[in-house]
Amino acid sequence: MNTNPTIDGQRLLQRIAEFAAIGATPAGGVNRQALSLEDRMARRRLAELAVARGFCVYQDAIANLFIRRDGRAPSLSPVLIGSHLDSQPTGGRFDGALGTLSAFEVLESLEDAGAVTERPVEVACWTNEEGSRFFPGCMGSMAFVGAGDISGWQETDGADGTKLADELQATLTALPEVEMRPVGHSVAAFIELHIEQGPVLERANVPIGIVTAVQGTKWLQVSLTGEAAHAGTTPPAYRRDPLAAAVEAIASLQQAVMPADPSARLTVGRMIVEPGSINVVPERVTLTLDLRHPEKEVLAAIEARAGTECRAAARRHRVEVSIEKRFDMAPGKFDASVVEAIANACGRLDIPTMKMVSGAFHDALFLSRVAPAAMIFVPCRDGISHNEAEFVSPQNIEIGARVLYETVRELAG
Ligand code: HGY
Ligand code: MN
Ligand code: MN
């Protein structure tokens, strides 16, 4: 790999360490959930760094944060780069932060080099990519492309009992000096650098993945309501036990879906049992289903199967069932011209690459609805992510940021 000094790897590693301290968990990960105090602290730190470099900072009504470096022709739509800063409750230090901070490093390196780009270059920090605290995920990028309803989300209850409206307001007002802009603007291209969050690149020993597509995702929230009863005195025939129904439905789906199709993914990530007393037959169970598949029709069939199994189990146990769809992200392909620009950049840097499909959803998939978009993946150790042990080597961090920089230079002119 030739070493034309484009980005400052040491500075980037320091930034990543600095942001990993915001919401740091004892196990070495981060808990910086969307619109939380920690999220606000990270956004403020990024805004301060941006202002210190003379970049323009602005945000929109869903608290997407933008950092702009003007080009020769300010009226041209910008090349947008970036990712997210919010994390899972037990997240890693790199999911989202790597892409956001690498994008900022690209802006700083352009500034350090006194580079004059034809187009403006903007860093985007998308609100609530994870969706774990407030469903759905990708709220910021969905709103930006006109696929989300900010007013419809205001009453959303957080997993921690908070209301989205309050947390969003607190986040917007935490950066009073930042100019507000309308939601959504024209974008020449969007590139997102992100960790792969799976084992493919590491296993292939390839430093860069060029992402050509993202599989589809559906989130269902299933509520089963029976009748609280005494654990000791209530015989089976008198029970209307939602947990008995839930475990039967989950067992059926675990046996039917993934074993039949290696591309299918089905996850029950959260289950709440109420009242949750050892000697009370539960009254209500709420569980989440995260369904994924690269093909839209197959994903729809898995969703239908999930409904069938939940309703059949509910009937057997004489409990009510309601199924709410909380997120529906169709699979999508990225733009060939941006994929090619990333491949060209890797060619100039003499970096080996492989094309791949993302198993995780990303903001870039929504951006691809309004602008040519694609993603750059770097390997993460053992493919572990959404886990505090998430790790990316300093070398792979630098390679990823170099490729992002080279790609931006080509697309921004
Ligand atoms: O769940 C996802 O795919 C993303 O990493 N939040
Ligand atoms: Mn992410
Ligand atoms: Mn994530």
Side-chain angles (χ1 to χ4, degrees), residues 99-180:
T100 306
L101 297 172
S102 298
F104 186 68
E105 173 56 36
V106 166
L107 236 48
E108 291 210 84
S109 299
L110 287 170
E111 193 68 9
D112 294 343
V116 179
T117 53
E118 195 58 28
R119 292 182 175 281
V121 181
E122 290 190 358
V123 173
C125 175
W126 304 111
T127 296
N128 190 20
E129 185 279 342
E130 296 291 353
S132 170
R133 184 187 188 204
F134 296 106
F135 293 170
C138 291
M139 265 190 190
S141 52
M142 230 192 289
F144 185 84
V145 303
D149 172 16
I150 299 174
S151 54
W153 289 328
Q154 295 298 321
E155 286 313 300
T156 303
D157 292 314
D160 52 4
T162 54
K163 276 268 186 261
L164 183 120
D166 302 332
E167 296 297 278
L168 177 58
Q169 193 51 29
T171 302
L172 290 169
T173 51
L175 291 176
E177 72 283 10
V178 167
E179 180 194 344
M180 294 300 290

Side-chain angles (χ1 to χ4, degrees), residues 95 129-130 197 386:
D95 178 357
E129 185 279 342
E130 296 291 353
Q197 300 182 292
H386 283 192

Side-chain angles (χ1 to χ4, degrees), residues 281-358:
V281 175
E283 176 171 3
R284 182 195 328 281
V285 170
T286 308
L287 61 96
T288 60
L289 283 171
D290 177 313
L291 311 173
R292 315 251 179 146
H293 201 280
E295 291 156 53
K296 195 178 172 71
E297 301 71 26
V298 177
L299 182 54
I302 295 172
E303 178 187 10
R305 181 64 183 273
T308 306
E309 293 299 342
C310 289
R311 280 188 287 277
R315 242 188 331 276
R316 285 195 297 273
H317 290 273
R318 296 178 299 119
V319 301
E320 281 84 55
V321 58
S322 76
I323 301 174
E324 210 184 332
K325 179 128 75 167
R326 300 299 300 268
F327 191 27
D328 195 345
M329 184 184 217
K333 293 197 182 326
F334 284 135
D335 180 274
S337 66
V338 182
V339 167
E340 193 188 341
I342 298 170
N344 294 342
C346 293
R348 287 196 297 277
L349 292 172
D350 196 14
I351 294 172
T353 67
M354 63 184 282
K355 298 269 174 55
M356 60 195 299
V357 174
S358 174

Side-chain angles (χ1 to χ4, degrees), residues 50-300:
V51 168
R53 290 303 312 246
F55 300 139
C56 164
V57 184
Y58 60 98
Q59 64 180 345
D60 65 19
I62 189 68
N64 290 319
L65 188 66
F66 298 93
I67 298 167
R68 178 183 172 93
R69 180 178 188 268
D70 260 324
R72 197 194 333 269
S75 61
L76 286 181
S77 49
V79 169
L80 205 55
I81 53 180
S83 189
H84 59 95
L85 279 177
D86 67 295
S87 81
Q88 286 286 329
T90 54
R93 293 173 290 148
F94 303 95
D95 178 357
L98 177 76
T100 306
L101 297 172
S102 298
F104 186 68
E105 173 56 36
V106 166
L107 236 48
E108 291 210 84
S109 299
L110 287 170
E111 193 68 9
D112 294 343
V116 179
T117 53
E118 195 58 28
R119 292 182 175 281
V121 181
E122 290 190 358
V123 173
C125 175
W126 304 111
T127 296
N128 190 20
E129 185 279 342
E130 296 291 353
S132 170
R133 184 187 188 204
F134 296 106
F135 293 170
C138 291
M139 265 190 190
S141 52
M142 230 192 289
F144 185 84
V145 303
D149 172 16
I150 299 174
S151 54
W153 289 328
Q154 295 298 321
E155 286 313 300
T156 303
D157 292 314
D160 52 4
T162 54
K163 276 268 186 261
L164 183 120
D166 302 332
E167 296 297 278
L168 177 58
Q169 193 51 29
T171 302
L172 290 169
T173 51
L175 291 176
E177 72 283 10
V178 167
E179 180 194 344
M180 294 300 290
R181 291 266 181 94
V183 176
H185 57 266
S186 76
V187 169
F190 178 68
I191 311 109
E192 180 169 3
L193 168 63
H194 204 286
I195 55 174
E196 177 202 332
Q197 300 182 292
V200 173
L201 287 173
E202 186 184 56
R203 205 180 292 156
N205 197 20
V206 169
I208 291 290
I210 304 179
V211 186
T212 56
V214 180
Q215 72 174 339
T217 298
K218 288 180 188 278
W219 283 359
L220 304 180
Q221 181 169 302
V222 180
S223 296
L224 295 151
T225 308
E227 183 180 46
H230 193 294
T233 57
T234 314
Y238 288 76
R239 290 180 178 222
R240 297 199 304 114
D241 182 349
L243 186 53
V247 297
E248 280 180 18
I250 293 169
S252 307
L253 290 169
Q254 289 290 5
Q255 282 145 27
V257 176
M258 289 195 279
D261 179 346
S263 302
R265 300 286 182 271
L266 179 141
T267 308
V268 177
R270 190 185 294 164
M271 182 146 78
I272 298 164
V273 181
E274 295 168 298
S277 166
I278 186 167
N279 45 0
V280 176
V281 175
E283 176 171 3
R284 182 195 328 281
V285 170
T286 308
L287 61 96
T288 60
L289 283 171
D290 177 313
L291 311 173
R292 315 251 179 146
H293 201 280
E295 291 156 53
K296 195 178 172 71
E297 301 71 26
V298 177
L299 182 54

